[in-house]
Amino acid sequence: MATAPAAETAAPSGGGSKKLIIILAAVLVLVLLGGGAALMLLKKKASAEDGEDGEAVEAPVKAKAKAKPDHPPTFVPLDPFTVNLADKDVDRFAQVGVTLEVEDPKFADQVKAYMPAIRSNVLMVLSHKTAGELLTREGKEQLAKEIMRESVRPMGIELDDEDEAADDTPKKKKKKRKAAVESPVTQVLFSNFIVQ
């Protein structure tokens, strides 16, 4: 008889541990769902607060307006550039890999047709830079703007340098100036950047 009560006490404890595991799993699922819902609400609240600023929401909207869902972006890689820099005290050089992002494949073919002139213009820009200018983030951003301007110049597209135009021209002349030309090159990407 001693074996019968031992078997009866073992069975309820096994069934109770299964119930406990099921209850803990259900509680864990509810906690995860609640955490996910809270995270979604916080993200929605943060994006609504950005909407009050005005500018924070408009910038992404403009970027989405330019993006064409019917085709992926087109990239035109340029062969790496190796140039002597304009440092006077020490001989320094830079090796820079550049890829142009363009709005459509037709313009990519046009860029490839003008590649010798584009490479020449980019080399001229790079050779007038010093190592100090290229080592800072601002210098790299300025270089990207200059490369964008010089990469479309052989095709007859003249882009205004926005920074210089804002500083040098009075407000009256800005009104008389022609509308800004949009560049078919949407972005200049650096694939490698070595300064020695």
Side-chain angles (χ1 to χ4, degrees):
M1 279 202 167
T3 57
E8 288 177 14
T9 56
S13 98
S17 66
K18 286 182 184 179
K19 287 181 184 178
L20 181 63
I21 290 173
I22 291 172
I23 291 171
L24 287 175
V27 169
L28 180 64
V29 168
L30 288 174
V31 167
L32 289 174
L33 288 175
L39 183 64
M40 296 288 276
L41 289 174
L42 288 174
K43 283 186 177 181
K44 203 178 259 188
K45 184 178 179 182
S47 66
E49 289 176 358
D50 286 344
E52 293 172 1
D53 296 341
E55 292 179 37
V57 171
E58 287 184 26
V61 171
K62 288 181 181 178
K64 288 181 183 177
K66 284 187 177 182
K68 295 182 180 179
D70 56 340
H71 63 81
T74 303
F75 297 99
V76 180
L78 280 63
D79 291 333
F81 296 92
T82 304
V83 297
N84 291 326
L85 296 175
D87 290 312
K88 295 185 185 203
D89 54 343
V90 180
D91 288 337
R92 301 195 75 172
F93 71 94
Q95 183 179 15
V96 181
V98 177
T99 301
L100 303 175
E101 181 181 343
V102 297
E103 21 179 69
D104 63 351
K106 291 178 185 176
F107 187 75
D109 293 337
Q110 191 176 7
V111 166
K112 290 175 186 174
Y114 285 94
M115 191 59 69
I118 292 171
R119 283 190 56 80
S120 175
N121 288 353
V122 173
L123 278 169
M124 294 301 287
V125 167
L126 282 168
S127 65
H128 284 91
K129 297 290 182 179
T130 64
E133 292 171 337
L134 294 179
L135 291 176
T136 64
R137 180 176 180 87
E138 293 80 19
K140 289 180 179 86
E141 290 171 353
Q142 181 63 32
L143 177 64
K145 288 178 188 177
E146 292 174 8
I147 290 174
M148 184 180 295
R149 184 185 68 232
E150 294 298 325
S151 64
V152 295
R153 186 172 280 170
M155 292 165 271
I157 301 170
E158 291 291 329
L159 299 176
D160 293 333
D161 194 8
E162 296 168 1
D163 297 334
E164 291 176 10
D167 294 337
D168 294 342
T169 57
K171 291 181 181 179
K172 292 180 183 177
K173 289 187 179 180
K174 282 186 182 179
K175 291 180 184 177
K176 293 180 182 178
R177 208 171 52 171
K178 289 190 266 182
V181 177
E182 283 192 35
S183 175
V185 176
T186 56
Q187 196 171 10
V188 174
L189 306 166
F190 297 112
S191 55
N192 68 345
F193 210 102
I194 301 170
V195 177
Q196 289 185 334

